[in-house]
């Protein structure tokens, strides 16, 4: 595994990854925008990149990875993890099992799965059902700040089990006021849901921060909002994609109902030394 420049990594991405793989590994688009991103490759079977040493590492492995490439990637990853024990990495769990076994043998440590995600993309424009919508999509205004802060706190508490300080939630709401990337769903004067276009790159636009207010759940508001965002993106010729926590079937069903197709899986991994 050799260190390469981000421009070389972008060429690797274009040459070796299929469209579906580019969608699955969408974070590469964001990472490789940075000219000083940290990138490594073996020249054709493995690509790894992270924005900086403090951010998670994203790792792509060719399907049916040759044994010599597997050994090389495992030795490199073992060295990286031992040098930075707190580092997390994301990869296709269906392709990296053999490499993880080698990493554990080389390090004597344990690689654990922290989260399993499904990568979804809207590959074909669905039949939009305008009449099914109750309410409307609105841009975030100053009067919505309390609702935005509340929705952010609910999302992190429910999805991550973490409590965001009110000051941080208010700061998020203030920063996103007037944003052209964040959208709200309003019904009868009540803000019911929130979603955001986290990043738009050459391969797709990634949607995240999808949350419905607890008092409004079960009525389809998140699906209405995401479908409207997708419509705007697809009218511009942009492919919408997102990651959904595999542990929450209900949220996955919302995206499937809109028309999202599961592309592949992504897992977040971390390494720790043996007890």
């Amino acid at each position: 595994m050799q260190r390469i420049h981000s421009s070389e990594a972008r060429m690797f991405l274009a040459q070796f990854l299929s469209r579906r793989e580019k969608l699955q590994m969408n974070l590469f688009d964001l990472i490789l925008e940075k000219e000083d991103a940290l990138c490594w490759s073996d020249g054709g079977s493995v690509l790894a990149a992270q924005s900086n040493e403090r951010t998670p590492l994203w790792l792509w492995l060719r399907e049916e990875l040759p044994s010599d490439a597997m050994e090389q990637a495992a030795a490199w990853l073992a060295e990286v993890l031992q040098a930075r024990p707190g580092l997390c990495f994301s990869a296709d769990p269906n392709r990296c099992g053999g490499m993880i076994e080698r990493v554990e043998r080389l390090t004597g440590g344990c690689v654990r799965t922290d989260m399993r995600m499904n990568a979804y993309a809207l590959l074909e424009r669905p039949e939009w059902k305008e009449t099914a919508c109750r309410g409307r999509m609105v841009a975030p205004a100053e009067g919505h700040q309390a609702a935005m802060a509340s929705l952010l706190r609910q999302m992190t508490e429910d999805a991550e089990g973490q409590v965001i300080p009110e000051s941080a939630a208010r700061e998020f709401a203030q920063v996103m006021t007037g944003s052209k990337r964040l959208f709200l769903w309003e019904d009868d004067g009540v803000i019911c849901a929130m979603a955001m276009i986290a990043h738009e790159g050459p391969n797709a636009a990634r949607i995240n921060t999808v949350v419905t207010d607890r008092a409004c759940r079960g009525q389809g508001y998140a699906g209405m909002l995401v479908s409207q965002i997708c419509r705007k993106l697809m009218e511009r010729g942009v492919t919408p994609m997102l990651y959904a926590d595999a542990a929450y079937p209900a949220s996955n069903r919302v995206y499937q109902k809109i028309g999202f197709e599961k592309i592949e899986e992504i897992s977040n991994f971390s390494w720790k030394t043996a007890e």
Side-chain angles (χ1 to χ4, degrees), residues 19 23 122-123 197 199-206 229-241:
R19 183 192 181 198
L23 291 167
L122 196 56
L123 300 176
I197 300 173
H199 178 258
E200 187 171 335
N203 297 304
R206 177 167 48 87
I229 294 172
C230 291
R231 176 172 187 164
K232 294 172 73 70
L233 289 169
M234 297 189 83
E235 284 175 348
R236 303 203 319 264
V238 179
T239 300
M241 71 81 54

Side-chain angles (χ1 to χ4, degrees), residues 21-38:
E21 289 173 317
K22 290 172 185 173
L23 291 167
Q24 176 194 18
M25 309 298 293
N26 180 262
L27 263 290
F28 275 135
D29 285 347
L30 175 62
I31 294 169
L32 298 180
E33 286 181 351
K34 292 174 60 66
E35 292 301 314
D36 59 350
L38 305 176

Side-chain angles (χ1 to χ4, degrees), residues 35-46:
E35 292 301 314
D36 59 350
L38 305 176
C39 310
W40 298 264
S41 175
D42 70 340
S45 297
V46 183

Side-chain angles (χ1 to χ4, degrees), residues 205-221:
R206 177 167 48 87
I207 298 169
N208 70 0
T209 319
V210 180
V211 56
T212 303
D213 188 278
R214 290 179 185 134
C216 303
R217 291 178 185 174
Q219 301 181 61
Y221 290 118

Side-chain angles (χ1 to χ4, degrees), residues 3 26 31 41 50 60 77 84 93 95 105 114 125 131 138 140 162 173 186-187 195 198 202 210 213 217:
R3 177 78 181 271
N26 180 262
I31 294 169
S41 175
Q50 60 184 146
W60 173 83
L77 183 58
R84 287 179 275 158
R95 296 189 185 186
R105 288 202 304 268
D114 295 324
R125 180 169 172 167
T131 56
V138 297
Q162 298 180 3
E186 179 185 70
D187 187 14
V210 180
D213 188 278
R217 291 178 185 174

Side-chain angles (χ1 to χ4, degrees), residues 165-182:
E166 288 191 15
S167 58
R170 286 197 302 269
E171 182 180 357
F172 165 83
Q174 291 168 0
V175 170
M176 298 311 297
T177 296
S179 170
K180 297 187 182 301
R181 297 189 298 114
L182 187 136

Side-chain angles (χ1 to χ4, degrees), residues 1-3 38-41 46-50 52-59 71-90 99 102-104 106-107 111 269-273:
M1 293 284 287
Q2 300 293 321
R3 177 78 181 271
L38 305 176
C39 310
W40 298 264
S41 175
V46 183
L47 177 66
Q50 60 184 146
N52 57 63
E53 290 187 349
R54 298 178 301 278
T55 56
L57 178 78
W58 276 69
L59 180 63
E71 295 291 347
Q72 183 182 11
W76 168 81
L77 183 58
E79 182 178 343
V80 170
L81 292 172
Q82 288 178 305
R84 287 179 275 158
L87 180 67
C88 299
F89 67 96
S90 298
M99 184 193 65
R102 288 168 171 78
V103 167
E104 291 180 328
L106 289 168
T107 63
V111 176
F269 300 97
S270 61
W271 173 85
K272 65 177 181 177
T273 57

